[in-house]
Amino acid sequence: MGIIEKIIDKIGSKINVSTNKSKEEIEIIKYGLFALIQMMLSIILVFILGLIFGVVIEAIIASFSIAILRKSSGGVHASTPEICLIVGTIITIIIGEISTKYSGSYLFMEFLNIISFILIISKSPVQSKNKPISNKKRIRLKKKSILITVIIISLSSLLFYFGYQRSKVNFIWYANSMSLGMLWQAFSLTKSGEKIMGFIDFFLNKYILKGENKLEKEQ
């Protein structure tokens, strides 16, 4: 169990003692708290590292592009919330760096957008093995994923065009961040994305978070 999950469990236990809520209600509260804490930690980490590397806005834009699309398209999951935070933060900072270092061309950005669109149409939604979804919900999630993808593509295209016409290079950076964030999320739906995430997960568990894992075993 990760640090975040331990905190949520303790909060849930206190709520259970101080209220007459049912087990199902407590689980719903715990899930909401978990999502809120993880989102806040993610924003804080991205903001701090974004400040250090000078890509705050670009990294946050990439982070939101990934998060908004992920809600409906699904994708590979890390084994712990901590690894999810680490990988998500690193990816958005990398995207921010690429977006500001390489302005690129409009046609190349649209090429990346087309790849994302094809992957979203063909792969989404990717369901969890533990939580299968019905065909009706699958169709609804696919439609939502496609709609969000179209919105992101439209916004990034407009930002790039406006930035190019008005010589506002920062708008081109924002457009790149949106497109690359969407591309990463689309890639996470594929088998290759799953394998890469699995390798990163294994590496972080074995070499970076091994101290925490040892402590948990001893307890």
Side-chain angles (χ1 to χ4, degrees):
M1 186 183 291
I3 297 169
I4 298 173
E5 291 164 312
K6 286 179 180 178
I7 294 169
I8 296 301
D9 271 349
K10 285 183 180 179
I11 294 171
S13 297
K14 288 182 179 179
I15 293 171
N16 193 25
V17 170
S18 60
T19 66
N20 294 320
K21 293 186 182 296
S22 66
K23 187 178 178 181
E24 289 74 20
E25 288 176 316
I26 296 294
E27 287 302 315
I28 291 170
I29 292 170
K30 284 168 65 176
Y31 180 81
L33 285 170
F34 176 82
L36 180 63
I37 290 172
Q38 192 169 28
M39 181 182 71
M40 289 175 64
L41 284 173
S42 177
I43 292 170
I44 291 167
L45 283 173
V46 169
F47 183 80
I48 291 171
L49 286 178
L51 276 176
I52 293 170
F53 289 94
V55 291
V56 175
I57 298 175
E58 292 78 13
I60 289 174
I61 288 172
S63 182
F64 275 103
S65 294
I66 294 167
I68 291 168
L69 187 53
R70 187 177 179 81
K71 283 196 74 175
S72 56
S73 64
V76 62
H77 288 273
S79 60
T80 68
E82 288 75 25
I83 290 177
C84 183
L85 278 173
I86 292 169
V87 174
T89 303
I90 291 172
I91 291 297
T92 53
I93 296 301
I94 290 172
I95 288 174
E97 283 289 321
I98 294 173
S99 299
T100 55
K101 295 297 185 293
Y102 175 70
S103 296
S105 68
Y106 182 76
L107 287 177
F108 182 68
M109 189 191 73
E110 291 302 339
F111 172 71
L112 296 181
N113 286 340
I114 290 169
I115 292 174
S116 298
F117 189 69
I118 291 170
L119 288 174
I120 294 295
I121 288 178
S122 60
K123 301 293 183 180
S124 70
V126 174
Q127 61 181 334
S128 169
K129 293 176 183 178
N130 300 323
K131 293 182 181 179
I133 56 178
S134 64
N135 286 332
K136 187 176 180 180
K137 188 175 181 181
R138 175 182 285 274
I139 292 169
R140 181 169 61 82
L141 288 173
K142 183 179 282 289
K143 286 180 179 178
K144 190 175 179 181
S145 297
I146 293 171
L147 176 62
I148 292 169
T149 303
V150 169
I151 291 171
I152 291 174
I153 289 173
S154 301
L155 285 174
S156 64
S157 299
L158 284 171
L159 277 171
F160 195 103
Y161 181 77
F162 181 82
Y164 181 78
Q165 289 294 319
R166 301 294 179 88
S167 299
K168 301 276 188 182
V169 70
N170 56 318
F171 280 82
I172 295 175
W173 295 345
Y174 304 157
N176 289 339
S177 297
M178 292 180 76
S179 292
L180 290 173
M182 177 176 62
L183 182 64
W184 169 257
Q185 174 54 27
F187 178 69
S188 77
L189 307 179
T190 66
K191 291 293 182 185
S192 296
E194 187 178 349
K195 287 178 181 177
I196 289 173
M197 188 63 205
F199 172 77
I200 295 171
D201 196 294
F202 172 80
F203 178 82
L204 289 174
N205 261 317
K206 188 169 183 179
Y207 299 105
I208 308 298
L209 301 175
K210 56 183 178 180
E212 181 188 326
N213 292 336
K214 272 185 182 179
L215 184 61
E216 282 189 19
K217 286 179 182 178
E218 287 171 5
Q219 291 173 343

